[in-house]
Structures are given as structure tokens and as C-alpha cells.
Amino acid sequence: MKIHLFNILSATIAFLLSYSIGYLTGIDSVMNAILYAFIIQWILFIPAYLFQTEKFFDISGSFTYIFVITYTLCLHYSSSGINYGNILLSSFIIIWAVRLGSFLFFRIQKDGEDKRFRSIKPSPTRFFMTWSIQGMWVSICSACALAGLANGIILNSLFYLGASIFVLGFTIEVIADNQKTKFRKDLANKGKFINSGLWSYSRHPNYLGEITLWLGVSIMSLSSLTGWQLITLVSPIFTYVLLVYISGVRILEARGRQKWGHLDSYKDYVKNTPTLLF
């Protein structure tokens, strides 16, 4: 019972924290977008739990990004007309969401399951919490972009700096994912860990790329934010904390130690290769 209460409380905190950030912006469309992000997750949780599947979890997150960005973009267009900064920023995020969502979707179709969900799916409250955390991920990561789009993105040197950083991060993420996919396809590498390409410089270059591109989004949005709206710039910090301490790195590092921790080659790799960049 205590575990179920903890899961429900965590889901509630995820929503309240996300919505509070939206509320502090003072922008109705941002608050609505965050509310819609969670509603989408909560609706999709129902068939996911009933059929005990996580196969559309990742692509649902990408769809939610596309929905909230498009929603905010269209609202600004209907009230203020065309804004080329809005179009550019929205295009960056939508391209990223389509690429990542489709990559993860086809990967899980091939693998048959996402092992992270084995112990999560049977519990309705824990699975619900997981979907709620995805709503928080979408909401907090995109909050600066949503606020910027609602105000109208300003095209200036800061925007182009952010765009360059986004492109760098996106490129790193795509290359890292492709290198690992090719590595896994090679039967000679079965049961081995990847330590070549970008993976020789970072143990998690795909996550490094993810954090970098959201830093770029924050910088692109910065000039369009005022007052309490600046709190939405927590986006790359939240992405870092989520990927390093909650979901990605922490889980993969534990799995790596369990699988290869007895190998001297893996110990040397961990000792000499930074988790991200440092």
C-alpha cells in the first residue's frame, strides 16, 4: 500500500511541478499545453496497462512534443501572424521528435520489449507514475520553447548561437545512435560493449547530444522570455538530471556493471572514458 501511495504521490508531484512552471510564465497557452501533455499520457496509460505493453511509450512522448509545439505555434500564428523564428524553432524540435520517436519505436519492435519496463508494467500505480514522468519530461523540457513561441521567437545572434548548439547536439545524438545500431547488428559483437566511434570519447554520447540540443533550444528561446518566464530555462538542467540520475545513465551503468563488470577491458573503459564529456 505504501508503495502505491508513493507512486501516486510522485505522479501528482510531477504534474504539479510541471504545471507550476507553466503557471509562473503567466501564459495561458503554455499552461494549456502542459495540461494537454499530461492528459495525453494519462489516456494512453489505459490501453498500455490493459494490454501490458510499453511498445508505444516512446513514440507517444514524441507525438506529445509535436502536439504541444504545434498547438502553441498555431495559436501564436492565429493571433499575430507568421513568425519565422517560431517556424525555425518548431521545425528543429519536430524534426528531433520524429527522428528520436521513430528510432526508439523501431528499436523496440525489433527487440520485442524494453527491459526497463519488466518490473514496471505489472504495477498500475508504478506504470501510471512512469507515464506521468513522461508528461513531466515533455512539459519541462519544452517549457522554454513553448513560452518563446507564445511570445514570438526573436531572431538575433543569440538565437543563431542556440541553433548551432542544437545542430551540434542533434548531430552527436544521431551519430551515436547509428554507431550503436551498427555495432549491435554485427554478430561478431554479440555480448560485447561498444567503445568505438563517439563511444570511445563518452560512455553515453547519445545522452550528451540530447542535453546539448536542449541547451540549444533554451538559448534560442532566451531573448523571447521575460520575468518569471526565465524559470523555463531549467530545461537542459532537468534533462541532465533526468538522463544521468533518474532514467538513462544510472540504469545503463548498473546493467553494464552486471554484464561486463568482471572484464578488465570494461573496467579500463569505465576508468578512462567519461560518463558524458568530463
Side-chain angles (χ1 to χ4, degrees):
M1 180 61 72
K2 289 183 179 179
I3 293 176
H4 292 307
L5 288 175
F6 173 79
N7 292 336
I8 293 298
L9 179 61
S10 298
T12 303
I13 291 173
F15 171 71
L16 292 177
L17 178 61
S18 303
Y19 195 78
S20 295
I21 290 175
Y23 181 80
L24 288 172
T25 67
I27 304 173
D28 289 340
S29 63
V30 175
M31 288 183 274
N32 291 338
I34 290 174
L35 182 60
Y36 294 151
F38 277 88
I39 289 175
I40 291 171
Q41 306 313 306
W42 293 335
I43 290 175
L44 292 175
F45 156 75
I46 298 173
Y49 177 71
L50 291 176
F51 293 101
Q52 286 291 285
T53 180
E54 75 286 0
K55 289 188 177 180
F56 59 86
F57 179 81
D58 291 314
I59 202 168
S60 297
S62 294
F63 166 78
T64 307
Y65 270 107
I66 294 169
F67 177 85
V68 297
I69 291 296
T70 304
Y71 165 78
T72 311
L73 175 68
C74 291
L75 280 183
H76 184 273
Y77 174 77
S78 65
S79 62
S80 305
I82 193 168
N83 178 298
Y84 291 107
N86 279 17
I87 293 174
L88 285 172
L89 179 57
S90 299
S91 298
F92 281 141
I93 296 175
I94 290 172
I95 290 171
W96 163 81
V98 170
R99 204 290 306 183
L100 182 62
S102 58
F103 171 78
L104 295 175
F105 177 75
F106 288 119
R107 187 179 70 180
I108 197 172
Q109 297 305 310
K110 183 180 180 232
D111 294 343
E113 68 167 334
D114 187 333
K115 295 178 182 178
R116 296 174 301 171
F117 286 84
R118 282 183 180 175
S119 60
I120 295 175
K121 290 183 294 183
S123 169
T125 57
R126 192 177 179 194
F127 204 18
F128 178 77
M129 177 189 69
T130 304
W131 281 90
S132 297
I133 289 176
Q134 177 157 264
M136 179 173 67
W137 171 56
V138 173
S139 300
I140 296 181
C141 281
S142 65
C144 57
L146 295 175
L149 291 172
N151 292 332
I153 293 295
I154 298 172
L155 289 175
N156 55 17
S157 57
L158 205 56
F159 175 90
Y160 293 113
L161 172 63
S164 300
I165 293 173
F166 176 92
V167 171
L168 174 63
F170 182 76
T171 302
I172 291 173
E173 183 176 69
V174 171
I175 292 174
D177 283 339
N178 288 340
Q179 287 177 342
K180 193 168 188 178
T181 298
K182 290 180 180 178
F183 180 85
R184 285 178 168 176
K185 282 183 178 179
D186 189 343
L187 295 178
N189 295 324
K190 187 175 181 180
K192 298 180 180 180
F193 62 91
I194 181 172
N195 59 355
S196 57
L198 292 179
W199 300 83
S200 64
Y201 300 100
S202 169
R203 300 204 301 274
H204 304 278
N206 52 336
Y207 293 146
L208 173 63
E210 182 83 356
I211 295 165
T212 301
L213 68 86
W214 282 111
L215 174 62
V217 169
S218 296
I219 294 174
M220 282 188 278
S221 307
L222 177 58
S223 297
S224 305
L225 307 177
T226 60
W228 276 103
Q229 294 170 9
L230 293 170
I231 198 173
T232 61
L233 296 175
V234 72
S235 169
I237 299 173
F238 173 78
T239 303
Y240 174 83
V241 172
L242 180 66
L243 291 179
V244 175
Y245 297 107
I246 299 176
S247 62
V249 171
R250 182 181 64 84
I251 295 173
L252 292 176
E253 290 284 301
R255 192 180 300 168
R257 287 192 298 270
Q258 184 179 28
K259 195 171 184 179
W260 303 296
H262 62 287
L263 299 175
D264 290 336
S265 58
Y266 183 74
K267 292 176 183 178
D268 289 340
Y269 176 65
V270 171
K271 181 180 178 181
N272 298 315
T273 310
T275 304
L276 292 175
L277 189 60
F278 303 104

